[in-house]
Amino acid sequence: MGQRPIYQYQVDRSNPDRAVGILLPFNKPVSGKAIADHYASGSIGSAGVFTQSYTSELQSISNLKNLLLTRKGERFMQPNFGTDIYTTLFEPNTELVRENLQLSLTDDIEFWLPYIQISEIGVVNSLDNHSLTIRLRYTVQNSTIERVIMVLANENEIILSETDAASTAPRVLTQTGYF
């Protein structure tokens, strides 16, 4: 009986200048340049208008942020894309509402971003004003690093903050043996 090759992702340092996607937020300065200089200079000095991601892992994190910041029904031609974070702000402060938000977030992330595994979602409503704090603990597929995103939502905005740093080295699928 023949052997089948085994593959796994390894760091690819052969072309570190190949971008995978664009990171959020869009108004973040690129390569130490002022935001006002981006549009005037284009891509001079290999710095584009938007901050680019050079790994699929960083792009996955950016995709998660995009999903969390989007309200359901907001995206044209994709009415189910997004989350119910904002609509939950004005619901009664009950355990059932918090559990429904946790289930909704889990379902949305599993559907739109199946390469992200959620290990914990914690939801805390504020009693005195309409605000919501969500703690989302997750890992990106083929990564051993566990990350945490904190979401603070109020009636005016949704703010995301990442508490763990991400790896920036590009990865490529490489054969590592046979079985």
Side-chain angles (χ1 to χ4, degrees), residues 103-122:
L103 291 173
S104 172
L105 286 172
T106 303
D107 291 344
D108 293 336
I109 293 169
E110 285 178 1
F111 181 79
W112 293 104
L113 307 172
Y115 45 86
I116 293 182
Q117 290 85 37
I118 304 297
S119 57
E120 175 190 351
I121 297 178

Side-chain angles (χ1 to χ4, degrees), residues 16-51:
D17 296 331
R18 184 181 318 144
V20 175
I22 298 172
L23 297 176
L24 288 174
F26 288 139
N27 61 352
K28 186 177 179 181
V30 178
S31 306
K33 294 168 58 177
I35 293 173
D37 295 338
H38 290 292
Y39 297 101
S41 65
S43 60
I44 295 173
S46 73
V49 176
F50 300 113
T51 306

